[in-house]
Amino acid sequence: MNAYYHPHFKRSFRNLDPHVKELAEERVALFKRAPFNVRLDTHRLHGRLKKLWSFSVDGRNRILFEFLNKTQTEAVFLDIGDHRIYR
């Protein structure tokens, strides 16, 4: 899995608590190995965000992303944070 980081994701990541950053890095590594691992709770979004997906970093934080191809071997991370990222 190839993952790319949108500039907005990078800005949001820099503003996270150090503990959340560390956990996010672990989850990103897991995502790159197995994007649909049950621990990630990877799921497609609905409504106006129906082209996007997200997975869990912890009980509060999510990573918002989009697959770049139909084979789901490339993704771009768009944002990270709590549920406000869905707005």
Side-chain angles (χ1 to χ4, degrees):
M1 164 69 67
N2 292 320
Y4 307 99
Y5 302 92
H6 190 277
H8 185 78
F9 176 89
K10 291 178 183 180
R11 280 191 302 275
S12 295
F13 185 84
R14 280 194 302 267
N15 293 326
L16 292 174
D17 178 73
H19 173 71
V20 177
K21 284 183 185 179
E22 184 178 321
L23 187 54
E25 289 172 348
E26 292 172 10
R27 294 299 174 125
V28 166
L30 177 58
F31 178 84
K32 288 179 179 180
R33 288 191 309 275
F36 293 96
N37 186 294
V38 69
R39 289 180 285 169
L40 295 173
D41 186 30
T42 305
H43 59 282
R44 182 186 298 260
L45 301 178
H46 303 283
R48 65 180 179 83
L49 300 175
K50 66 183 177 184
K51 293 183 180 181
L52 303 180
W53 295 70
S54 76
F55 65 87
S56 299
V57 173
D58 59 19
R60 180 179 182 169
N61 295 288
R62 308 284 182 273
I63 292 179
L64 182 67
F65 71 96
E66 181 176 10
F67 282 113
L68 298 177
N69 56 27
K70 292 194 184 285
T71 59
Q72 299 177 336
T73 57
E74 292 186 305
V76 59
F77 295 150
L78 302 170
D79 204 357
I80 184 170
D82 60 21
H83 281 87
R84 288 178 282 188
I85 65 173
Y86 300 132
R87 294 184 188 167

